Amino acid sequence: MEDGYRDRTAFIRGAKDIAKEVKRQAGKKMGRGMDKMTDEYTKRSYTRFEEDDDDDYPVQGQDGGYYRSDSRANDDEGAHSDSTEGHDEDDEIYEGEYQGIPRADSGKADGQVGGVAAPGAQFQDFGALAGERRKDQEELAQQYETILQECGHGRFQWTLYFVLGLALMADGVEIFVVGFVLPSAEKDMCLSEPNKGMLGLIVYLGMMVGAFLWGGLADRIGRRQCLLISLSINSVFAFFSSFVQGYSTFLFCRLLSGVGIGGSIPIVFSYYSEFLAQEKRGEHLSWLCMFWMIGGIYASAMAWAIIPHYGWSFQMGSAYQFHSWRVFVLVCAFPSVAAIAALNTMPESPRFFLENGKHDEAWMILKQVHDTNMRAKGYPERVFSVTTIKTVKQMDELVEMGGDTAWHKRWKMKLTSLFHQVWGNFQACFSPEYRRTTLMMMAVWFTMSFSYYGLTVWFPDMIKYLQKQDYNSRTKVFIKERVEHVTFNFTLENQVHRNGQYFNDKFMNLKMKSMLFEDSVFEECYFEDITTSNTFFKNCTFISTLFYNTDLFKYRLVNSKLINSTFLHNKEGCILDFSDDNNAYMIYFVSFLGTLAVLPGNIVSALLMDKIGRLRMLAGSSVMSCVSCFFLSFGNSESAMIALLCLFGGISIASWNALDVLTVELYPSDKRTTAFGFLNALCKLAAVLGISIFTSFVGITKAVPIMFASGALAAGSFLALKLPETRGQVLQ
């Protein structure tokens, strides 16, 4: 028994020596893929020795298991290892051969063996750990750039470009949805002016919360996963909002829809940038911005095509109505749904994995990027040569929870830990190393958003105001007219009647729009099936008059007297007055032109971003936008305001593209989406303030909006020049 054991031991040692020699000779060609080959060779040799043994008794292996000999002889010359398949006589590596997943041993901390911390490493100084982590990040940044250069730019990046473009398109659609449906939804929901204002702002408030929330989570649980969750929330509540009937539930659904889509911009730009090499980053991030424009065009076109078609509706009694504007809301959720479906085919950011110590997952994704691009370029034989990638030292504490811990306590501990990690990451953006950069970026984001969103909403409101002024200038006035035995069965619009007398007249099956009767007398008249809008009777007297199936509610009869007059079967529904449907067409048209006008600015910024730099693009575009604001004083007509809107949008888009690229490149990978999300949340807050302030001056003065917008843009361009230029730098 002892002799057999010694013979087996000697044979195993010999097999190991042979395997080591094979590994040494393969050397650089086989890399770490030989680890598997060595283990396989040793295992097969050990098994073969036992199978050749005549004795049939169990032998305990090193892993605690047992091998049993079965007295079957194998031909030694025919024995081989499966791991050697795919090699020729010169040990060349073929495309598609499994080489094993390389390990980043260099990324392990000193004092660790097999990934488990040695006892003396448990109490390392936190500052020393942070210093090691920064050093690891710097080394990783340089190596990652080299790896991206080897992977090239090709089919994989373009596929990801269109997938993430759908998510950015969904964000663009969300901005326009409420503004397009308001002219129709206000009638169904009977919305007052304060309610309409709240509905317009609630989307920005939701996006503000969502940007901060999802931006912070994306640095902890992954870009792809957070983007999927946020888009799913947006899709679900956008779908629900098209069916709910009440104002409160609709407001709630649009709020949560905004919270979902709020994560789109911070995650999309960070996610895409981590697949782009340095010389491609500025240009292709600018091309990605075009999908926001496409989202606005999509929303405008769908509104124009769907909302005016009132036949696209149904109702169940008076309690449930589904009009065409609800179909439009449903259609606007399609980009988000498409983005979710497409994103499921894409991998997580390998840079995120490397920042979180997941070397194997990152290596496999980078190999996928390399192989996809090489096959598309006609070089399928090229092999991904990277074997080891630097990983960043982890500083998070792991809290062990026993199996008997209640599930809700485990979730509470996990969520608490996640909250502290996200909050700590946010606070790190204000650490001495990043404080100046963050404060400067806050100022630039705020000034840009305040002026841009304030003016883009102020322009349509000014156009509607000019339309109203022109409409009022065409008002017909009739004084002291006397009308007897006349039947009115046509639309009465934009007229003023003062001191009139109407005897035995019939007003039947007609619409009264923007009509005013003052100090007039109606005697023995008959009103039937009347629909009114902005129509009032002031200081009028009704004698022996019958009102049948009308919406002439009491509030339309201002200081009027009713003598022997009767109201029968009054119309039910909302008693508020609403805007004209023609204004809705103008909103769609103006938004379409304003969105389309940014196309030249997008193209110019994409082509020049990597040539003139981010700061020059940002400051130059802001200065030109500031100058264009002074032309607003010449906007005294509807066509002039539309032209100025297109001019401002086309110029300012370049500064937005530069700001997005700059934000991505100024922060390291473990803080990128956190910082971007916070700055984007600040952007939405500035948008709410800008919209509220600018619209309050509509019809009062142009000087204040011009002064605010130009001052904010000038300050933003000045501060932008104080930021560090990131062109030509590796991604931190």
Side-chain angles (χ1 to χ4, degrees), residues 195-209:
N195 287 342
K196 288 190 289 184
M198 176 56 67
L199 192 56
L201 294 178
I202 200 68
V203 175
Y204 289 96
L205 295 176
M207 295 175 77
M208 179 178 67
V209 174

Side-chain angles (χ1 to χ4, degrees), residues 126 158 217 290 349 389 397 428 459 537 600 611 695 700:
F126 181 82
W158 282 112
L217 289 175
M290 292 189 66
S349 165
I389 310 176
E397 294 184 4
F459 273 115
F537 297 83
K611 293 181 173 61
T695 54
I700 300 176

Side-chain angles (χ1 to χ4, degrees), residues 65 367 435 492:
K367 186 178 185 301
R435 183 180 299 144
L492 298 176

Side-chain angles (χ1 to χ4, degrees), residues 23-73:
K23 179 178 179 182
R24 187 185 67 80
Q25 292 178 359
K28 296 181 179 180
K29 284 186 178 180
M30 293 300 295
R32 296 188 178 274
M34 287 302 300
D35 288 343
K36 180 178 179 181
M37 182 176 176
T38 302
D39 297 337
E40 184 71 12
Y41 185 92
T42 304
K43 180 179 176 182
R44 287 178 176 270
S45 301
Y46 183 77
T47 306
R48 189 177 73 246
F49 182 88
E50 295 210 288
E51 290 173 347
D52 291 338
D53 194 271
D54 295 330
D55 297 326
D56 188 15
Y57 53 85
V59 179
Q60 186 172 9
Q62 294 178 353
D63 59 353
Y66 288 86
Y67 299 95
R68 179 175 295 276
S69 67
D70 55 4
S71 301
R72 289 178 299 178

Side-chain angles (χ1 to χ4, degrees), residues 176 292-297 300 590-599:
F176 292 95
W292 199 92
M293 173 199 72
I294 295 174
I297 293 175
S300 303
V590 170
S591 298
F592 178 82
L593 288 181
T595 307
L596 189 62
V598 307
L599 178 61

Side-chain angles (χ1 to χ4, degrees), residues 67 76 150 192 275 469 487 580 602:
Y67 299 95
D76 291 346
E150 179 179 344
S192 62
F275 285 94
Q469 292 291 98
T487 299
D580 186 10
N602 264 320

